[in-house]
Amino acid sequence: TLLLLIALILANQFIGEEFSLIIERFQNISEDDGSGRGTVFQEVFNLIINSSSNDLFFGHGYNTVIKTYIGYSAHNDFLEVTYDYGIIGLAIYILFYLSLLLKRKHIKNINWRSAFTCSIIIFLINSIYKLFIVFHFIPSSIITFLRASLAL
């Protein structure tokens, strides 16, 4: 029980610090435009709408946002996928999310289904604000999530 108490105290300390940082980031959004994400989102969106029909449909190629946009990514998987892989790539990416939602329906255990649903929501939020999937690497957390989703 002493180890459990120590673990809880340490976890609270860690979560408390993380929570404070998250609150601070949200409070600074109006000053720093979400660390410049709003500007990046708008510029990448402009790149997409100014693309040729062929590039809009098929994309500009792997990692082109970073090459085109001064070494920065879109910080948004949906924008990144659309510019790099076009409407076809975006459709496949959206189908990935839809397949997760369909997989969710087949989970009988309510606790597993709830956890799976929360994972999908977290995954989606990260995809919108952090460039979760299509960056240069696939973090081990994504691999773990995919393995768990395939196992359920």
Side-chain angles (χ1 to χ4, degrees):
T1 41
L2 180 61
L3 288 176
L4 179 61
L5 181 62
I6 292 171
L8 288 173
I9 291 171
L10 291 174
N12 183 40
Q13 182 66 26
F14 175 75
I15 292 170
E17 290 175 21
E18 289 293 314
F19 188 71
S20 296
L21 290 173
I22 291 168
I23 296 299
E24 184 179 327
R25 293 281 309 258
F26 277 110
Q27 289 173 336
N28 292 333
I29 284 176
S30 63
E31 296 171 18
D32 68 0
D33 193 28
S35 299
R37 280 177 171 78
T39 303
V40 172
F41 291 173
Q42 185 62 49
E43 291 191 26
V44 174
F45 182 75
N46 288 337
L47 288 172
I48 291 168
I49 63 172
N50 292 320
S51 297
S52 69
S53 298
N54 190 49
D55 286 338
L56 185 60
F57 195 68
F58 295 107
H60 295 84
Y62 171 73
N63 219 13
T64 316
V65 168
I66 292 175
K67 294 173 188 168
T68 304
Y69 191 67
I70 327 166
Y72 295 111
S73 70
H75 290 288
N76 178 305
D77 281 341
F78 295 95
L79 291 173
E80 189 95 16
V81 167
T82 304
Y83 189 76
D84 287 354
Y85 306 108
I87 293 171
I88 292 174
L90 180 63
I92 292 168
Y93 188 65
I94 290 171
L95 284 173
F96 169 72
Y97 277 103
L98 293 175
S99 71
L100 290 176
L101 291 174
L102 291 174
K103 188 106 174 145
R104 182 192 163 280
K105 286 182 168 183
H106 299 290
I107 301 172
K108 304 292 183 221
N109 183 307
I110 190 70
N111 293 327
W112 280 100
R113 187 179 316 146
S114 297
F116 191 73
T117 303
C118 288
S119 297
I120 293 171
I121 292 168
I122 291 168
F123 201 56
L124 180 63
I125 290 170
N126 278 315
S127 292
I128 293 171
Y129 293 106
K130 287 188 167 190
L131 198 69
F132 196 51
I133 286 217
V134 295
F135 204 50
H136 301 284
F137 58 90
I138 298 178
S140 61
S141 59
I142 294 174
I143 293 170
T144 303
F145 176 81
L146 292 175
R147 284 183 183 160
S149 67
L150 294 173
L152 293 175

